[in-house]
Amino acid sequence: MPDESQTLQLANIGYAFDHPEAVAWGPDGYAYAGGEAGQLYRYKLDGSGIEEVARVAGGFLLGLAHDAAGNTYACDDRSACVHRITPGGAVGTYANGNDTQKMRVPNYPVFDDHGNLYVSDSGSWGAKDGFVWKVAPGGKAEIWDRQANGFSNGMCLSPDGKWLYVVESCPPLISRVEIRGDGSAGRREVVVELPRNVPDGVAFDAAGDLYISLYNPNIIYRFTTKGELVTLYDDWEQLMLVAPTNIAFGGPDMKTLIIASLCGWSVHTAPMAVAGVPVRYPKI
C-alpha cells in the first residue's frame, strides 16, 4: 500500500459545533452540519458566517441530505425519524417507518435522481440487524435491503447511480447493493474489509475513488479504483480529528472535503486535487 499518510491539509472552519455527526453541501452554496441537541447549522466554508437554522427539541441530528428546493432531510436517532426542515427552519416529520416497522436508528440519508431517499437504520451494535429503508417522494417508507446489516451507517450512491454503497461499522467493512432497473435491491458485494477499524462515512470523487472516514482510529482513507487502500490522514494523537464521522465534498468547484468530528466541537476542511461527484438534489 502506498504510504501517503498525512497528505490532507486540514483546516478548522473556526466555528464551535455541538458534537457534529453530519456534514452536507447544500444547493444554496452553504455547508450544513447537525448537533447533538438537535441543531441544524448552515455555514460558509471560508469561516465568514454561521447560523442555527433550526433546533429539533429532544433531537440529535445524524446524516443530512437536501432536495432541489433547499429542504434538509435530517436523520434523528432520538426521535427515530427523518425530519424535513425548510430553509426557513420549519421542522416536520418526513418519514418514521410504516405500519409494519418503525424506524429505530435512522442514521444516514441518500437521494437518488428520482427523489427516492435511502435511509440506513443501524440497529444494535454487533447484532447484524441493520437494514436500509427506501422512502418514496412524499414519505412512504418500505424496507429496501436487509443484506447490508452490520450496523448500517454512512452511505453514498456510485457515480453512475447503479449501486448504493453502505458502511457496515460492525463488522468493519464497506459493501454495496445493486439498484436494479425496477428500483429493487439486487445483490450485495463486499467492497473492502477494514479489520480493527470503525468506519462511518463515505463519499466518491469524480475519478471513482471512494473516501472513507473512521470514527476510530481517526483515519481518512482513499480506496482507489485499483483496489488500493491509501491512508490520507492518520491523527493517532487526536490533534485535529476527534472521531471523524460523516464526510462530504463541497465548495463552488466541489474540491473541498468536509469532515465532521463527532467527539469534538469542530468541522474540518481539506483542499482536494479531484472534485467530488456532484450532489443529487431531486425535485420532491
Side-chain angles (χ1 to χ4, degrees):
M1 182 178 70
D3 183 9
E4 298 184 19
S5 182
Q6 302 295 110
T7 59
L8 290 185
Q9 301 300 312
L10 294 188
N12 189 325
I13 289 179
Y15 308 131
F17 298 88
D18 187 4
H19 298 100
E21 161 85 9
V23 288
W25 181 249
D28 55 359
Y30 285 82
Y32 287 75
E36 72 168 353
Q39 305 97 322
L40 177 64
Y41 302 104
R42 179 167 54 212
Y43 54 97
K44 294 183 178 180
L45 294 180
D46 63 5
S48 63
I50 183 173
E51 63 177 314
E52 187 176 304
V53 178
R55 183 176 294 227
V56 179
F60 185 174
L61 299 192
L62 303 185
L64 307 174
H66 292 90
D67 65 19
N71 298 302
T72 303
Y73 297 78
C75 289
D76 183 346
D77 70 331
R78 290 179 185 160
S79 301
C81 72
V82 178
H83 301 292
R84 180 179 180 269
I85 305 174
T86 70
V91 179
T93 299
Y94 185 67
N96 61 5
N98 54 40
D99 292 340
T100 303
Q101 172 71 59
K102 295 301 181 183
M103 291 183 175
R104 306 160 305 165
V105 188
N107 198 315
Y108 197 87
V110 174
F111 272 118
D112 67 16
D113 291 328
H114 306 291
N116 298 302
L117 187 67
Y118 299 88
V119 180
S120 59
D121 195 323
S122 301
S124 300
W125 188 263
K128 300 197 73 172
D129 61 350
F131 47 73
V132 178
W133 293 92
K134 184 177 182 180
V135 183
K140 183 179 179 180
E142 62 178 2
I143 295 177
W144 182 74
D145 175 73
R146 292 183 181 272
Q147 301 171 90
N149 58 22
F151 201 82
S152 318
N153 203 330
M155 302 190 300
C156 64
L157 285 182
S158 61
D160 61 8
K162 295 181 179 180
W163 296 86
L164 180 68
Y165 280 68
V166 183
V167 174
E168 297 187 53
S169 297
C170 180
L173 58 84
I174 311 298
S175 66
R176 66 177 190 172
V177 180
E178 178 188 15
I179 302 175
R180 292 173 172 161
D182 63 1
S184 63
R187 67 189 186 277
R188 168 186 173 271
E189 297 179 353
V190 174
V191 176
V192 58
E193 296 187 19
L194 301 165
R196 299 183 66 82
N197 291 306
V198 183
D200 195 288
V202 282
F204 270 105
D205 70 17
D209 289 346
L210 182 68
Y211 293 73
I212 306 168
S213 54
L214 302 186
Y215 173 81
N216 197 36
N218 307 299
I219 287 175
I220 305 295
Y221 284 133
R222 183 176 70 233
F223 186 67
T224 72
T225 57
K226 297 179 180 180
E228 299 172 323
L229 189 65
V230 179
T231 301
L232 295 181
Y233 203 93
D234 182 356
D235 195 350
W236 60 273
E237 294 179 294
Q238 292 190 333
L239 297 177
M240 292 284 282
L241 296 180
V242 186
T245 44
N246 294 171
I247 53 175
F249 280 89
D253 57 3
M254 294 297 290
K255 287 188 175 181
T256 300
L257 186 65
I258 311 168
I259 307 165
S261 289
L262 175 61
C263 293
W265 291 80
S266 59
V267 170
H268 292 89
T269 61
M272 307 300 293
V274 179
V277 172
V279 182
R280 292 171 166 87
Y281 302 121
K283 293 182 179 180
I284 304 298

